[in-house]
Amino acid sequence: MPVKEAASDSYALGFSNKTFFICTLFLYITPVFFYFRFVSNYQSIQNSLRAPIREYAIAHKYMQNVGLIGYVLSILFLIVASKNLEGYGEAEFFLLRSALVAAGKIPYIDFDYCYGPFFIYSLSFLRSIGLSAGFSEALLVTAESILGYASIFYIVRAVFGQYQSAARLVFMTLFLATCLSALVGGQNYTFFRFSTVLALACFIINLKNSKFIEVYSLLSGVIFILGWIISPEVGLAVGVAFAIVTTLRSKHTLISTFGAIISLFTAFFCDKIILQSYASLFQFAQGTFNFPGFPSFHILLLFLSIFLSTAYIAKKSVKENPVAWLLFVYSIGMLPAVLGRCDSGHVIFNGFGFFILAGRMLVDGTEREKKYFSAYCALTGFGFFLLSLIATICFNLLPMGAVTAKTILPILPSEFTQIFIERLPPLYQEKALNFLNRGVDEMQISQPEEGSYVLSPRSNLKILGKINTPYFVQNNGAATANSYEELAIRLKGNIVYLRYNLIENLCSPYIVDPSATAILFLFPTMLFSQKNYPPTGAENICVLLRNARVISEGVPGGYAKVQM
């Protein structure tokens, strides 16, 4: 088969930015904390919030209007186009894995999976009661986004205390910054994943009865499990943060520390699936590329927010604002995910705690600093909204157009389809035809032969088995050299069903156009991948694909049957 050997972008763009994380933690956050804790004479000014309230109301109004319009349109698109989501964005990722769960496979053990089991088991349940796959995904994204925003609202109110007008503005800032996230199509980009269990932890930590602080530390394992169900890295971050803050609040530090450790240890080792989930997560983090941070807008704003939030925490004791401390420690735990890929989406979703605390610092500061608060919120909210809009235009516009066309064209006269195809650029006409002609249920091959393998796009099986249920392997974003080597060994000499676009994705050169400033602006680390591409682990796979013998083409689902 005519394919070329080349590097896969899996290695360059994995969450592997360990150097950047370590430098940020020890050379930036730690010195700022100790300076404001022990050196600076900075003192906050309390109860002087009268002047800027009108400014807050004006900013809040504009953010609310733009955010609601963006959010409603995003959700409407997802619901209206739900029957055609099987090949769209992140939806495809979850729909493929929910099919494996329905076939009796176990995530992390039978197939590689990097999110919490709740996402795919809830999706599988909705499909089992008769809802279509795409509508189930759209329904879950909608419900989870609403719950996520509700939890963010609670956290912000708890952090800001008496400053509720400022709290509402900060909430609206985060709402505006993320209102287009539903267009990604996946459950992984809502605040439900990042803040729901954190809100529960905040509620517990904020209870006034201090007699039970030592008992609260025993709940660390429960908090961890609840977080793990939604997202393993969130579970670890919120569980450890809860344990640390309850211990710091306790008068009996040794007892609380011991109770928290026992609770976390018991929860972590209670089932092998939890251990295996972190093995998958660590594989996801084993990219071979460590790069410096690129000073784009959202990275600079992130580091300003980290500075302000660290300064605020340094001047507050745990007893003064335990929720703020919990949010800060949790955000430190999520910092590897923030800095791993450095794009605006990962920054705002994983690092939202820094932005909340930065706003709290400005509100709690001098009169001069209060004047900057409204400007900071507007800059953050509208800045991330514009970045999200640019990302949608650059990466999602064509898939959205295809999904919309496939939803609308069937109810129009047949000649409209031909007109639609002819109006597209020549490069996209064949792809559009293939997508429009593909059946709704053709994401998987029906009844592949015993002992064969299925390689499908947007999927990542680390461990392959010879059974008659389709197995899927990753082609981007999370694979490592070892998994590609293992895959090459397993596939050699076997019958494989694959799509040609997988060959294109896996074995075509990964090129970043240096003139594509929008991409560099959104994903600054790509600038370095263009110059310093790491060694690839995909050569053996590409050699097998190049020498494979095509047995038949046109297999349902757009696959080809080949002998490796």
Side-chain angles (χ1 to χ4, degrees), residues 24 62 69 115 245 386 388 459 490-491 496 511:
T24 300
Y62 284 109
I69 291 171
Y115 300 109
V245 175
L386 289 175
S388 179
S459 308
R490 287 178 177 270
L491 295 183
V496 176
I511 299 173

Side-chain angles (χ1 to χ4, degrees), residues 92-274:
E92 184 175 18
F93 179 93
F94 291 102
L95 293 172
L96 287 170
R97 284 154 183 77
S98 69
L100 288 174
V101 167
K105 305 305 162 193
I106 302 174
Y108 317 115
I109 294 177
D110 292 328
F111 62 94
D112 202 26
Y113 178 62
C114 50
Y115 300 109
F118 174 83
F119 292 145
I120 50 177
Y121 278 99
S122 60
L123 185 54
S124 181
F125 169 75
L126 291 179
R127 295 176 69 173
S128 71
I129 62 175
L131 298 182
S132 68
F135 183 74
S136 298
E137 176 69 8
L139 185 64
L140 285 170
V141 171
T142 303
E144 289 167 10
S145 67
I146 293 172
L147 289 173
Y149 285 127
S151 64
I152 286 288
F153 186 68
Y154 173 79
I155 293 169
V156 173
R157 284 175 59 89
V159 169
F160 275 75
Q162 61 180 321
Y163 302 128
Q164 289 304 299
S165 60
R168 287 191 291 272
L169 183 57
V170 169
F171 166 76
M172 198 51 62
T173 298
L174 293 174
F175 177 70
L176 174 62
T178 58
C179 67
L180 300 179
S181 60
L183 294 176
V184 176
Q187 303 173 63
N188 49 335
Y189 286 107
T190 71
F191 275 121
F192 176 82
R193 172 186 167 197
F194 301 97
S195 62
T196 308
V197 178
L198 179 64
L200 174 63
C202 288
F203 173 79
I204 296 172
I205 211 78
N206 208 30
L207 293 175
K208 302 300 181 183
N209 194 339
S210 60
K211 295 179 180 180
F212 296 100
I213 291 297
E214 286 75 20
V215 177
Y216 294 162
S217 65
L218 294 174
L219 296 175
S220 301
V222 177
I223 296 295
F224 162 76
I225 291 292
L226 291 175
W228 174 84
I229 289 172
I230 299 175
S231 187
E233 74 275 21
V234 171
L236 190 60
V238 71
V240 172
F242 185 82
I244 291 173
V245 175
T246 52
T247 298
L248 291 175
R249 286 194 67 194
S250 173
K251 295 179 180 179
H252 306 285
T253 305
L254 188 61
I255 295 175
S256 292
T257 302
F258 183 76
I261 291 174
I262 292 297
S263 179
L264 286 172
F265 184 87
T266 303
F268 194 83
F269 291 98
C270 68
D271 195 295
K272 68 176 182 179
I273 193 174
I274 295 178

